[in-house]
């Protein structure tokens, strides 16, 4: 089936929806999503969205700018960070006007709480900057944007799995997707395509990410020879529920929770004397694992405690109701009465498709754009998070840069004609589906996926070494071969989840290779990328972004400079 829209958006998370609201003012918009729209991972965001409103104590966008640059370990592009922090206040007020039910101060203003790495006066003490809706902030924003988008006439194609984003002659003309209900392939011709397909935490075994966070569109674009930027930087959130990886928001520490080791010591006082448990995530995750490796986990085991008892039951039930319920349901622990076992969990992809500050996808290190192709949200790398994202800056990134991309698309589509997608794009997708459905090998995609995720966890997570990364990379061809040798039982087309599992697995293998190879070439430690064999940051050689390209059957790396406008790199202490 063929469709024609001025703009096609892949993804109905915050980035896709915010862009759709802007683009639909200029022409018809379709949003494609492999889930029901409001099940996008954005709905799981708990703790907050950052903006220096100063509602609870003095704050300024300049301090937010500084914290974000420092948090990024100086790898974030400062032009983009400045735009984001300056636009944050307007953005949150706009969201409020769109209907987001933010939590309130007693005098009725938007309430704010502390989050890791957010400080007042250039690092002096933690500041209340995260605006929140209890611990369901993403859910509240997503539903408000979804209602707005529907009201404005955005057309949703729910449970459409995108298989291809054809790019030819430096331009993108549309998207090929399969309707999951019927298995029928649809072609969406468009003047502009925005990729807002979210993260890929599922490449790791222990993760806070939803099952759908498999990085499909990054895999597709990488195969189409579009580079991926800074893929070595993957954030581990310090407080996942032990053994499960389910997230306990940083807001729990923002409200007063503390981390305690097996010796009943508040160990973050040693690692970050000024802001302690509210240090940035890369530091806290490493500190927890160091405690564990040195035998100071709880009972000598592989976890520490998050102690929220000082917050008090009333505040926990009012401001952190969901995570209190997660603790009770999954761990059998009431956080008002007892400390909760936690361990770092794979959480957020700093790397992604390189874009400029208006979401245009960049084809190389010179800044050449792919016409008609845009990206925003977690799948994009603009880069505001550099080597390590600060908590509550991702929701902000999605709506600030989703909006900017939507505006840029509005200008772009006024000046060009709509062309049909080439017919062979559908044929290629059909052939691909048939090949998968006819696969009668002897592997199960679930087992291969788990083996891959275990390898990534073992060799490419918080601590990395040359030997470990090489061992991982050496094992990937076998994983890739197994992923191509699946025992597909159901050859039908209706809601055939085996088909989508196979497609997602292929993308995960590609992304694992890019992450591991990017990590191997970066011979320094910066932000979330920690190399035991190069334990220091090396600005002389590595203050630059990585661009990974597909080249033949292998990878090629190029680099581009970091944009430094105001804050020169300094030693990062907290
Ligand atoms: C548990 C959790 C808590 C978090 N808490 C916070 C927080 O408090 N504050 C904060 O700032 N950040 C938080 N984050 C991070 C933040 O929520 C995400 O980075 C952000 O919501 C990503 O939004 P997005 O719009 O880029 O993508 P998503 O919301 O992930 O949406 C991706 C969309 O792409 C679609 N898609 C993907 N592949 C395909 C395909 N092949 N075909 C069709 N559609 C496809 C999906 O269906 C989905 O609609 C949290 C993340 C997690 C996991």
């Amino acid at each position: 089936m063929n469709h024609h829209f001025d703009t096609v958006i892949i993804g109905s998370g915050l980035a896709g929806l915010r862009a759709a609201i802007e683009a639909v003012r200029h022409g018809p918009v379709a949003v494609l999503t492999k889930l029901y729209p409001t099940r996008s991972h954005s709905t799981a965001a708990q703790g907050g969205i950052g903006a220096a409103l100063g509602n609870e104590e003095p704050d300024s966008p300049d301090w937010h700018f500084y914290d974000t640059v420092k948090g990024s370990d100086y790898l974030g592009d400062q032009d983009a960070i400045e735009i984001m922090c300056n636009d944050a206040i307007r953005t949150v007020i706009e969201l409020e006007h769109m209907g987001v039910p933010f939590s309130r101060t007693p005098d009725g203003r938007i309430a704010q709480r502390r989050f890791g790495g957010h400080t007042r006066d250039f690092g002096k003490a933690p500041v209340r900057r995260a605006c929140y809706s209890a611990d369901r902030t993403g859910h509240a924003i997503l539903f408000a944007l979804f209602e707005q988008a529907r009201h404005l006439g955005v057309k949703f194609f729910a449970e459409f799995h995108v298989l291809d984003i054809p790019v030819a002659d430096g331009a993108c003309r549309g998207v090929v997707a399969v309707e999951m209900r019927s298995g029928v392939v649809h072609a969406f011709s468009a003047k502009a395509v925005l990729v807002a397909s979210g993260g890929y935490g599922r490449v790791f075994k222990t993760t806070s990410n939803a099952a759908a966070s498999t990085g499909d569109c990054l895999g597709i674009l990488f195969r189409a020879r579009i580079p991926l930027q800074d893929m070595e930087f993957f954030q581990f959130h310090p407080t996942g529920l032990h053994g499960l990886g389910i997230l306990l928001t940083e807001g729990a520490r923002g409200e007063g929770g503390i981390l305690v080791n097996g010796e009943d010591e508040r160990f973050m006082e040693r690692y970050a004397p000024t802001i302690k448990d509210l240090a940035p995530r890369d530091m806290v995750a490493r500190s927890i694992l160091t405690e564990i490796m040195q035998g100071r986990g709880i009972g000598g085991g592989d976890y520490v405690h998050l102690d929220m008892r000082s917050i008090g039951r009333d505040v926990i039930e009012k401001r952190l109701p969901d995570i209190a319920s997660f603790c009770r349901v999954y761990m059998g622990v009431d956080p008002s009465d007892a400390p909760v076992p936690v361990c770092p969990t794979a959480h957020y992809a700093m790397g992604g498709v390189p874009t400029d500050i208006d979401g245009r996808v960049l084809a190389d290190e010179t800044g050449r754009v792919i016409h008609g192709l845009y990206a925003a949200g977690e799948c994009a790398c603009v880069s505001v998070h550099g080597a390590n994202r600060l908590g509550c800056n991702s929701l902000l990134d999605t709506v600030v840069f989703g909006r900017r991309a939507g505006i840029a698309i509005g200008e772009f589509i006024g000046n060009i004609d709509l062309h049909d997608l080439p017919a062979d794009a559908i044929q290629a997708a059909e052939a691909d589906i048939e090949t998968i459905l006819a696969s009668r090998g002897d592997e199960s995609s679930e087992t291969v996926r788990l083996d891959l995720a275990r390898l990534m966890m073992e060799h490419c997570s918080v601590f990395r070494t040359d030997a470990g990364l090489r061992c991982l990379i050496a094992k990937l061809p076998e994983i890739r071969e197994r992923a191509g040798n699946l025992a597909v039982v159901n050859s039908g087309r209706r809601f055939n989840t085996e088909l989508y599992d196979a497609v997602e697995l292929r993308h995960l293998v590609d992304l694992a290779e890019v992450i591991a190879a990017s990590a191997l070439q970066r011979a320094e430690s910066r932000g979330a990328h920690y190399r035991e064999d190069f334990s220091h940051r090396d600005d002389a050689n590595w203050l630059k972004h990585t661009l990974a390209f597909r080249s033949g059957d292998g990878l090629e790396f190029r680099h581009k400079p970091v944009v430094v406008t105001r804050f020169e790199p300094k030693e990062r202490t907290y």
Side-chain angles (χ1 to χ4, degrees), residues 108-144:
R109 288 181 297 169
I110 294 174
Q112 296 187 275
R113 65 178 157 216
R114 293 175 178 158
F115 246 71
H118 290 278
T119 69
R120 73 167 158 75
D121 210 3
F122 306 104
K124 300 251 164 54
V127 75
R128 295 177 199 279
R129 187 175 289 149
C131 311
Y132 57 94
S133 192
D135 54 359
R136 305 176 185 122
T137 312
H139 183 92
I141 302 176
L142 189 72
F143 275 76

Side-chain angles (χ1 to χ4, degrees), residues 12 55 130 183 213 218 241 271 359 361 370 378 420 478 495 505:
S12 58
N55 280 358
S213 299
L218 297 194
L241 284 180
Y271 295 94
V361 170
I370 307 275
E378 189 168 338
D420 278 348
E478 186 199 325
F495 262 122
L505 176 60

Side-chain angles (χ1 to χ4, degrees), residues 9 35 45 144 211 246 321 373 409 551 562 572:
I9 294 177
L35 304 164
I246 294 171
L373 185 60
I409 287 172
S551 139
V562 173
R572 194 161 154 259

Side-chain angles (χ1 to χ4, degrees), residues 121-297:
D121 210 3
F122 306 104
K124 300 251 164 54
V127 75
R128 295 177 199 279
R129 187 175 289 149
C131 311
Y132 57 94
S133 192
D135 54 359
R136 305 176 185 122
T137 312
H139 183 92
I141 302 176
L142 189 72
F143 275 76
L145 294 185
F146 183 51
E147 283 169 12
Q148 295 288 334
R150 289 188 54 129
H151 172 71
L152 292 168
V154 172
K155 179 114 173 60
F156 284 87
F157 290 84
E159 297 181 329
F160 273 66
H161 197 114
V162 170
L163 293 181
D164 199 8
I165 308 166
V167 175
D169 306 324
C172 175
R173 297 244 181 92
V175 168
V176 180
V178 51
E179 183 188 24
M180 296 165 77
R181 188 175 54 174
S182 61
V184 172
V185 175
H186 292 238
F188 293 83
S189 302
K191 294 179 180 176
V193 171
L194 171 81
V195 182
S197 55
Y200 43 92
R202 285 278 149 179
V203 76
F204 293 97
K205 179 165 178 293
T206 303
T207 177
S208 68
N209 281 198
S213 299
T214 49
D216 311 347
C217 294
L218 297 194
I220 293 170
L221 292 176
F222 188 64
R223 284 186 177 222
R225 317 243 159 207
I226 288 168
L228 297 180
Q229 181 175 328
D230 294 339
M231 296 290 282
E232 59 270 42
F233 300 103
F234 201 97
Q235 175 169 86
F236 277 69
H237 192 294
T239 58
L241 284 180
H242 176 240
L244 297 170
I246 294 171
L247 192 78
L248 297 187
T249 172
E250 204 165 74
R253 279 170 287 140
E255 296 289 356
I258 57 168
L259 291 162
V260 179
N261 65 16
E263 295 172 2
D264 219 15
E265 181 204 11
R266 186 181 180 187
F267 56 89
M268 281 313 299
E269 286 179 336
R270 269 189 280 121
Y271 295 94
T274 309
I275 61 175
K276 305 182 178 88
D277 301 272
L278 289 172
R281 292 173 180 174
D282 55 336
M283 292 180 71
V284 183
R286 273 196 299 277
S287 306
I288 292 176
L289 290 174
T290 304
E291 292 299 297
I292 291 171
M293 286 185 307
Q294 294 180 354
R296 292 188 296 276

Side-chain angles (χ1 to χ4, degrees), residues 10-16 32-37 40-50 115 137 142 160-163 196-199 208-210 212-217 220 247 249 281 347-348 376-379 389-396 398:
I10 307 169
S12 58
L14 297 190
L32 275 54
T33 160
K34 66 179 177 178
L35 304 164
Y36 186 74
S40 304
H41 187 65
S42 292
T43 200
Q46 303 173 349
I49 175 167
F115 246 71
T137 312
L142 189 72
F160 273 66
H161 197 114
V162 170
L163 293 181
S197 55
S208 68
N209 281 198
S213 299
T214 49
D216 311 347
C217 294
I220 293 170
L247 192 78
T249 172
R281 292 173 180 174
H347 184 60
Y348 183 83
E378 189 168 338
C379 68
R389 169 172 79 81
L390 290 189
C392 77
N393 267 354
S394 171
L395 294 187
L396 182 61
T398 60

Side-chain angles (χ1 to χ4, degrees), residues 210-461:
S213 299
T214 49
D216 311 347
C217 294
L218 297 194
I220 293 170
L221 292 176
F222 188 64
R223 284 186 177 222
R225 317 243 159 207
I226 288 168
L228 297 180
Q229 181 175 328
D230 294 339
M231 296 290 282
E232 59 270 42
F233 300 103
F234 201 97
Q235 175 169 86
F236 277 69
H237 192 294
T239 58
L241 284 180
H242 176 240
L244 297 170
I246 294 171
L247 192 78
L248 297 187
T249 172
E250 204 165 74
R253 279 170 287 140
E255 296 289 356
I258 57 168
L259 291 162
V260 179
N261 65 16
E263 295 172 2
D264 219 15
E265 181 204 11
R266 186 181 180 187
F267 56 89
M268 281 313 299
E269 286 179 336
R270 269 189 280 121
Y271 295 94
T274 309
I275 61 175
K276 305 182 178 88
D277 301 272
L278 289 172
R281 292 173 180 174
D282 55 336
M283 292 180 71
V284 183
R286 273 196 299 277
S287 306
I288 292 176
L289 290 174
T290 304
E291 292 299 297
I292 291 171
M293 286 185 307
Q294 294 180 354
R296 292 188 296 276
I298 304 297
D302 60 350
Y303 63 91
V304 296
H305 271 151
L306 174 62
D307 190 342
M308 293 181 258
R309 286 175 293 184
S310 67
I311 305 175
R313 186 177 295 279
D314 283 357
V315 175
I316 289 182
E317 295 305 331
K318 198 161 146 224
R319 296 194 198 150
L320 303 166
D322 270 5
I323 69 154
S325 146
F326 295 161
C327 295
R328 285 191 288 262
V329 170
Y330 296 109
M331 309 300 283
V333 174
D334 185 334
S336 303
D337 294 335
V340 186
V342 293
C343 195
T345 182
H347 184 60
Y348 183 83
M350 269 75 73
V353 191
T355 71
D356 70 6
I357 52 172
D358 291 311
R360 295 180 195 91
V361 170
L362 305 177
D364 59 27
E365 69 283 12
T366 68
R368 186 164 57 86
V369 303
I370 307 275
H371 294 287
L373 185 60
Y374 297 77
E378 189 168 338
C379 68
C381 185
V382 48
S383 132
V384 283
H385 310 300
N388 173 63
R389 169 172 79 81
L390 290 189
C392 77
N393 267 354
S394 171
L395 294 187
L396 182 61
D397 166 10
T398 60
V399 280
V400 166
F401 291 99
R403 172 175 172 271
R404 290 180 72 91
I407 293 172
I409 287 172
E411 287 163 9
F412 176 78
I413 59 177
N415 301 322
I416 60 158
D417 299 326
L418 183 58
H419 296 282
D420 278 348
L421 266 183
D424 59 1
I426 295 196
Q427 286 153 12
E430 284 286 0
D432 197 19
I433 293 175
E434 284 308 320
T435 308
I436 293 173
L437 294 181
S439 180
R440 295 290 176 270
D442 45 21
E443 296 283 351
S444 104
S445 64
E446 197 187 324
T447 313
V448 181
R449 192 194 280 219
L450 194 60
D451 287 349
L452 172 70
R454 280 206 185 105
L455 280 173
M456 287 296 286
M457 205 70 196
E458 188 180 342
H459 298 299
C460 199
S461 52

Side-chain angles (χ1 to χ4, degrees), residues 494-556:
R494 273 176 204 276
F495 262 122
N496 187 345
T497 50
E498 277 184 281
L499 170 63
Y500 307 107
D501 287 348
V503 171
E504 290 175 354
L505 176 60
R506 193 166 64 191
H507 297 310
L508 287 172
V509 180
D510 281 352
L511 294 183
E513 185 184 4
V514 182
I515 298 167
S518 301
L520 183 63
Q521 54 100 47
R522 186 173 283 272
E524 66 154 355
S525 289
R526 183 186 296 272
H529 171 67
Y530 189 87
R531 285 281 300 261
E532 290 181 51
D533 41 354
F534 298 98
S535 58
H536 292 288
R537 199 177 79 198
D538 175 1
D539 289 331
N541 293 304
W542 286 102
L543 185 62
K544 58 188 181 188
H545 297 290
T546 302
L547 290 179
F549 294 79
R550 188 176 159 135
S551 139
D553 279 343
L555 295 181
E556 181 193 328

